[in-house]
Amino acid sequence: MRSSKKIPTLPMNCTSFGLFIFRYAEYKEMTLEEVARGVGIQKQTLSAYMNGTRYPKIDVYLAICEVMSDTREEYNMLLMRGIRSTGENALAERRLRIKEKHNKNDNQ
């Protein structure tokens, strides 16, 4: 038996942040068009966020998380997952690890 559900196509050149949006929208059975419409942005703008050519301002990021959430707990989880999926977060974590290592060595 063939399913009538359309298999979503992963947008090209997706960043880890873009994959986060794509995968969670797929999990919620939402299209990227529905996410963009719910946030009040164009699909092209959402695509730009997903491929890293643009980054959403904080209010747009919060709206993306809200549109894909049904509960406050889910919203809070999406906020943290989205932030953790960014390259900027990875760089900050790396800098903090180095800083902790230096502080540990200074205290010995």
Side-chain angles (χ1 to χ4, degrees), residues 16-105:
S16 56
F17 179 71
L19 287 173
F20 154 74
I21 294 172
F22 177 80
R23 287 181 181 143
Y24 209 78
E26 183 180 25
Y27 169 75
K28 297 297 280 191
E29 297 182 356
M30 296 176 76
T31 65
L32 296 177
E33 291 85 5
E34 290 171 326
V35 174
R37 195 174 330 113
V39 174
I41 59 176
Q42 298 290 319
K43 184 179 181 287
Q44 293 83 0
T45 304
L46 183 62
S47 295
Y49 296 155
M50 293 175 68
N51 67 28
T53 56
R54 290 181 63 187
Y55 286 95
K57 291 184 178 179
I58 191 70
D59 60 329
V60 175
Y61 174 64
L62 295 173
I64 291 170
C65 292
E66 183 179 352
V67 164
M68 294 194 298
S69 301
D70 294 322
T71 64
R72 286 179 294 152
E73 291 81 15
E74 185 176 29
Y75 172 75
N76 288 324
M77 180 266 307
L78 284 176
L79 286 175
M80 292 310 299
R81 276 193 187 171
I83 290 169
R84 287 186 178 130
S85 71
T86 64
E88 289 78 2
N89 181 68
L91 292 172
E93 294 255 350
R94 187 176 305 143
R95 287 190 300 268
L96 287 170
R97 276 195 302 275
I98 292 168
K99 190 183 214 181
E100 288 171 353
K101 192 175 187 179
H102 285 292
N103 288 340
K104 183 179 177 185
N105 290 338

